[in-house]
Amino acid sequence: MTTELAWLMLTAILAASLWIPYIIGINVSSFEGKQTIFERPPDLSKMPAWVQRSYRAHLNLLEQFVPFAVMVLIAHMLEVSTPVTRWCVILFFWLRVAHAIGMISGIARLPLRPMIYVAGWIVTLTVAWSVWAHAQ
């Protein structure tokens, strides 16, 4: 397995697991409408702030993970593996871990959290550029 695929797999595991803080938060928190949670989706505005942030952290990861995974898989299919692509997948994983921890805990506020998010976007574009440059 290439470095890129191994770190992509770790990021997929992170994405597949980031629902856990949200579900824990729903179960340990008291909020209006909890008794009807299985009848309709819960109202996030009625939940503690950290539960709301955990939900958004999961969504944020999913929205960045899809394009990033596509770029890494295209690189793999075209047999593009460079020091840049290898460092990008490692950096993307740790940026997403930092983003999730910072967002759920509330530590990463403006401008840090958006900067981490933008860094993930830049890493995705860097992988795309590397694939494009080496596939020509």
Side-chain angles (χ1 to χ4, degrees), residues 33-65:
K34 187 173 183 175
Q35 62 280 5
T36 62
I37 200 165
F38 291 107
E39 296 171 21
R40 67 180 63 90
D43 183 355
L44 285 174
S45 67
K46 307 276 191 240
M47 295 181 200
W50 76 269
V51 178
Q52 295 175 37
R53 290 191 306 266
S54 67
Y55 180 79
R56 290 190 352 250
H58 187 219
L59 291 180
N60 282 171
L61 174 52
L62 294 177
E63 64 190 27
Q64 274 202 331
F65 179 69

Side-chain angles (χ1 to χ4, degrees), residues 16-131:
S17 303
L18 206 50
W19 61 270
I20 295 170
Y22 172 68
I23 296 301
I24 290 171
I26 286 177
N27 285 293
V28 301
S29 302
S30 296
F31 55 90
E32 184 181 325
K34 187 173 183 175
Q35 62 280 5
T36 62
I37 200 165
F38 291 107
E39 296 171 21
R40 67 180 63 90
D43 183 355
L44 285 174
S45 67
K46 307 276 191 240
M47 295 181 200
W50 76 269
V51 178
Q52 295 175 37
R53 290 191 306 266
S54 67
Y55 180 79
R56 290 190 352 250
H58 187 219
L59 291 180
N60 282 171
L61 174 52
L62 294 177
E63 64 190 27
Q64 274 202 331
F65 179 69
V66 172
F68 182 75
V70 168
M71 291 306 122
V72 172
L73 293 173
I74 290 171
H76 181 71
M77 290 173 54
L78 296 176
E79 298 180 356
V80 174
S81 179
T82 68
V84 170
T85 60
R86 288 189 290 275
W87 277 108
C88 280
V89 294
I90 295 167
L91 181 59
F92 186 83
F93 175 82
W94 289 111
L95 283 168
R96 294 314 310 179
V97 168
H99 185 273
I101 292 170
M103 188 162 197
I104 294 168
S105 69
I107 294 170
R109 298 189 182 273
L110 287 173
L112 183 58
R113 192 177 70 237
M115 289 171 58
I116 294 170
Y117 188 87
V118 169
W121 174 68
I122 291 169
V123 166
T124 300
L125 293 180
T126 303
V127 172
W129 170 82
S130 187
V131 170

